[in-house]
């Protein structure tokens, strides 16, 4: 380029991080199976998460079929129903979303986006995946043991979760708890890697305030996870002891089927505190990476820098911090001192401030932008709508007085599916369409992508929007059957059938996505290294897909932030992060 | 030399500016910490949350249980020469663990001076003192079990006493035992001079250096510190 004025390296401090010692594998096994390369680990994580996610999707059909056509399918008895609800919820939240967003996207994108050759501790990173896989297998195996998986609900509240009346009393609950403990151990290994890589292994010139928001989102989520999973870990250990060793941490004196149980003096509320100390941050563990990814997709496909980058970063951090002190809003109906109710309501509503700020900034990024309605962009826009929707109902539920009648109704189900079910899933799809060319070197089919988007987006609305109404009618969640209940009008039943039909349609449509995913591997249009003309570092690798060590001989040097789109005076509409400064450029 | 108030303020200001400069710089946010040291610190923060959850749960069930909590100075007393001495074993155990922190600190010092022999010996000594701690803990467990305390029941009062005691000291003892194993492995590496010749020291195919001893030390001091809290909450409350 002709208009370079300054010798590039004078801009950037000299290297202070030594070259990474990488493990170079020489056999098929250590290259593709027991790989220490973050990119391979990422794909393993994502593949496992998606596979178990498909199981959770099928379970949601079982739930829906029973709700719309009670008793029509004979094998769905109340046991199977409760087991399906439990496994669906737990798999979706922990084994699917958390694993794919942090283990999948985190592993693939962090090293590439911050300009590292790999995660800082590749061996630990590999262990992380294998322990996660073990956790998933333990969970799935609970379908094969006598009594089947637990039906305690994904919240696993004692005393009910470890009493004999709950399905899966014999082994299911034990396997669930063991699996969660394994998951946490595995996740900690990965999470430490993500955090340290971001903090200590960035490229020359890559300051924290030049990282793409995707990295900020995943980084903050990983920190949150390291602080929040301990709550779940402790809850699982203690519940396991209550079940197996006969301790009474969570179990009060209790009579079951006329038999006085050997429990005494424990505190069930303690479990709720521990669980939700994990459970609420968990919402943001899946939401923050999604926020980051959406920011990047919007910016690239609207050819405009993200509006208010610094504000976006601080909003992510603020949401992360606040999310650790709001867990009580899940316990308004558990019997809580009004002072605490007041505190948790205030903190909950306070989170709306940084969150709303992010939404405004996304909208302002789109304002008068050169929007390309590509498939990733459509999914990102879909996210904006569903997330906003779920966020608004969240404001309702954050108020104690409004929450008390709505809690445990389908209104809550509609709310959390909008905000942490559909919204992150849309982002995950968008992200796959967006980064697929980098991962495989080929484009996914756009037409199929758009069909997939519209049916999924409209369908998801058709499923969950009516649930708000059903919830307002007072229809409870987690009910196997409503029976003859006077307050439920016939129209509610019609609506239930409609929802179920849509759920089946949306579920089956995902096969278009899988077809596209695999078909494009061989037949997709070759994409080149940077098909979206994106500025961030991962698109500037010397090879596509990136080779082992990511950057070939020399590590990249970063000169600007990742959102240099439509820069005035530049002769192309984006400036890659590692391109030396141009004349008169205002460097950010 | 006495620092004036202004000098003091200026010193703090410089320090703050330095911190901001480091964090807004490229490549590394902690300019003096290696990857493994950063990782250990962050792991310890996460582990702190685990222990905190355990201890807070212990306090909660201690308050929620309807049965009286056993008196620590009686239940933890040891009979020596026909006389009951309260908290004697625990005093020895605590002293033992704090001593091991001392030998660990010395080992770190020698390792940085590349004095392999004294460093390795001190590491082994730390491991042995740690193992002694675990041994004494096993003794205390067996004494309590012998007297009829179980995770699910307790002849001296609330059954949660046994539950919490075995769970939390067990979890801490597990940390100490893992530490002992790691100490022995590192002691071997130091003794052999692995860190001088750049030998691959683990499955990760990386070569180690003497800083590993310091990182090990961080873990060990942490386990020691956690013990002080367990000690305070179980034995003094
Ligand atoms: C096509 C997609 C989906 C459909 C049709 C669906 C449907 C359902 C239904 C019908 C319930 C039971 C409501 C009740 O009666 O209590 C449920 C529960 C739940 N779902 Fe989904 N869901 C879907 C996707 C997701 C996703 C992506 C997540 C991830 C966050 C998720 C998380 C949950 C959770 C946490 C529960 C609560 C489980 C419990 O009550 O223990 N779902 N879902
Ligand atoms: Cu919450």
């Amino acid at each position: 380029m002709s208009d370079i004025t300054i010798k590039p390296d004078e801009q950037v401090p000299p290297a202070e991080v030594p070259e990474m010692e990488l493990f170079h594998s020489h056999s098929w096994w250590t290259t593709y199976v027991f790989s220490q390369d973050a990119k391979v680990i990422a794909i393993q994580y994502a593949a496992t998460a998606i596979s178990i996610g498909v199981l959770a999707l099928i379970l949601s059909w079982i739930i829906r079929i029973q709700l719309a056509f009670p008793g029509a399918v004979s094998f769905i008895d109340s046991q199977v129903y409760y087991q399906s609800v439990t496994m669906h919820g737990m798999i979706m939240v922990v084994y699917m979303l958390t694993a794919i967003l942090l283990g999948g996207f985190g592993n693939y994108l962090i090293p590439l986006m911050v300009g590292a050759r790999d995660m800082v501790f590749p061996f630990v990173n590999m262990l992380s995946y294998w322990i996660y896989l073990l956790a998933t297998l333990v969970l799935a195996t609970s379908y094969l043991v006598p009594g089947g998986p637990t039906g305690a609900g994904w919240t696993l509240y004692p005393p009910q979760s470890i009493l004999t009346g709950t399905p899966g009393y014999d082994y299911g609950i034990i396997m669930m708890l063991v699996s969660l403990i394994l998951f946490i151990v595995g996740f900690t290994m990965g999470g430490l890697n993500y955090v340290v890589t971001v903090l200590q292994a960035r490229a020359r010139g890559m300051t924290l305030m030049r990282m793409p928001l995707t990295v900020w989102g995943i980084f903050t989520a990983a920190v949150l996870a390291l602080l929040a999973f301990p709550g779940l870990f402790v809850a699982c250990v203690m519940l396991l002891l209550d079940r197996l060793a006969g301790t009474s941490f969570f179990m009060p004196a209790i009579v079951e089927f006329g038999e006085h149980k050997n429990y005494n003096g424990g505190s069930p509320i303690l479990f709720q505190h521990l669980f939700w100390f994990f459970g609420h941050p968990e919402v943001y563990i899946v939401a923050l990476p999604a926020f980051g990814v959406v920011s990047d997709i919007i910016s690239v496909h609207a050819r405009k820098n993200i509006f208010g980058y610094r504000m976006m970063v601080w909003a992510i951090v603020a949401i992360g911090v606040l999310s650790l002190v709001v867990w009580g809003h899940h316990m308004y109906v558990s019997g809580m001192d009004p002072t605490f109710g007041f505190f948790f309501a205030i903190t909950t509503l306070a989170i709306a401030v940084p969150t709303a700020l992010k939404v405004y900034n996304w909208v302002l990024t789109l304002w008068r932008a050169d929007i390309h309605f590509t498939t990733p962009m459509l999914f990102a826009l879909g996210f904006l709508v569903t997330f906003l929707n779920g966020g608004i109902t969240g404001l309702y539920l954050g108020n104690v007085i409004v929450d008390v009648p709505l809690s445990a109704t389908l209104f809550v189900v509609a709310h959390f599916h909008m905000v942490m079910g559909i919204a992150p899933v849309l982002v995950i799809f968008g992200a796959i369409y967006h980064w697929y060319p980098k991962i495989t070197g080929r484009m996914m089919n756009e037409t199929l992508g758009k069909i997939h988007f519209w049916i999924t987006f409209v369908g998801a609305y058709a499923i969950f929007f009516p649930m708000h109404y059903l919830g307002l009618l007072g229809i409870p969640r987690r009910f196997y059957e409503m029976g003859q209940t006077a307050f439920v009008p016939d129209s509610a039943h019609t609506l239930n059938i409609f929802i179920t039909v849509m759920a089946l349609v949306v579920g089956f449509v995902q096969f278009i996505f899988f077809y596209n995913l695999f078909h494009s591997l061989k037949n997709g249009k070759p994409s080149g290294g940077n098909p979206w003309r994106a500025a961030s570092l991962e698109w500037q690798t010397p090879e596509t897909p990136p080779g082992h060590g990511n950057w070939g001989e020399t590590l990249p040097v970063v000169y600007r932030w990742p959102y240099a789109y439509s820069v005035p005076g530049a002769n192309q509409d984006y400036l890659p992060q590692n391109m030396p400064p141009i004349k008169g450029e205002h460097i950010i | 030399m006495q620092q004036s108030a202004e000098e003091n303020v200026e010193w703090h200001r410089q320090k703050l500016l330095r911190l901001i400069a480091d964090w807004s710089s490229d490549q590394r946010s902690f300019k003096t910490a290696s990857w493994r040291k950063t990782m250990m610190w962050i792991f310890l923060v996460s582990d702190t949350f685990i222990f905190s959850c355990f201890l807070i749960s212990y306090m909660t069930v201690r308050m929620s249980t309807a049965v009286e909590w056993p008196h620590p100075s009686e239940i933890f007393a040891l009979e020596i020469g026909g006389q009951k001495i309260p908290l004697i074993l625990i005093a020895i155990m605590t002293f033992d663990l704090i001593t091991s922190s001392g030998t660990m600190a010395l080992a770190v010092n020698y390792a940085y001076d590349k004095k392999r022999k004294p460093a390795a010996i001190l590491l082994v000594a730390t491991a042995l003192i740690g193992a002694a701690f675990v041994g004494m803990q096993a003794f205390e467990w067996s004494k309590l079990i012998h007297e009829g305390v179980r995770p699910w029941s307790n002849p001296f009062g609330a059954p949660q006493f046994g539950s919490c005691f075995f769970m939390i000291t067990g979890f801490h003892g597990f940390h100490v035992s893992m530490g002992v194993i790691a100490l022995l492995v590192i002691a071997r590496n130091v003794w052999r001079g692995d860190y001088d010749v750049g030998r691959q020291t683990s499955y990760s195919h990386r070569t180690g250096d003497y800083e590993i001893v310091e990182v090990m030390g961080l873990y060990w001091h942490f386990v020691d510190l956690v013990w002080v809290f367990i000690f305070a909450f179980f034995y003094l409350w």
Side-chain angles (χ1 to χ4, degrees), chain A residues 37-182:
Chain A
D37 186 325
K39 297 186 292 298
V40 179
I41 296 172
I43 290 166
Q44 292 172 326
Y45 249 115
T48 313
I50 292 177
S51 313
I52 196 82
V54 169
L55 173 66
L57 177 72
I58 294 170
L59 291 172
S60 78
W61 295 343
I62 295 185
I63 311 172
R64 278 314 320 174
I65 289 173
Q66 167 60 27
L67 288 177
F69 312 105
V73 182
S74 61
F75 90 91
I76 311 179
D77 55 19
S78 61
Q79 301 253 328
V80 170
Y81 179 80
Y82 284 115
Q83 291 168 331
S84 302
V85 172
T86 307
M87 295 291 272
H88 163 80
M90 191 62 100
I91 292 176
M92 283 292 191
V93 174
V94 175
Y95 297 82
M96 199 279 275
L97 288 179
T98 309
I100 196 172
L101 284 166
L102 297 177
F105 291 113
N107 265 317
Y108 205 93
L109 295 175
I110 289 175
L112 284 168
M113 282 185 157
V114 303
R117 292 204 181 277
D118 207 314
M119 288 291 177
V120 286
F121 293 105
F123 180 74
V124 181
N125 205 21
M126 174 183 84
L127 277 187
S128 160
Y129 169 70
W130 290 100
I131 298 178
Y132 162 65
L133 181 67
L134 183 65
T136 320
L137 290 178
V138 169
L139 189 74
T141 320
S142 65
Y143 266 102
L144 307 178
V145 297
T150 178
W154 89 283
T155 46
L156 305 177
Y157 278 8
Q160 156 271 127
S161 62
I162 56 171
L163 290 179
T164 49
T166 308
Y169 166 81
D170 293 317
Y171 300 102
I173 182 71
I174 299 172
M175 295 178 80
M176 169 68 87
L177 295 171
V178 169
S179 169
L180 284 171
I181 290 173
L182 285 171

Side-chain angles (χ1 to χ4, degrees), chain A residues 371-404:
Chain A
I371 301 178
H372 296 244
F373 287 101
T374 54
T375 311
M377 185 59 156
L378 288 176
F379 275 102
L381 297 176
F383 162 87
L384 283 193
V385 179
T386 49
F387 183 74
L388 184 63
N389 191 321
I392 289 172
T393 49
L395 286 179
Y396 288 58
L397 295 172
N399 285 289
V400 185
I401 293 193
V402 187
D403 180 66
V404 169

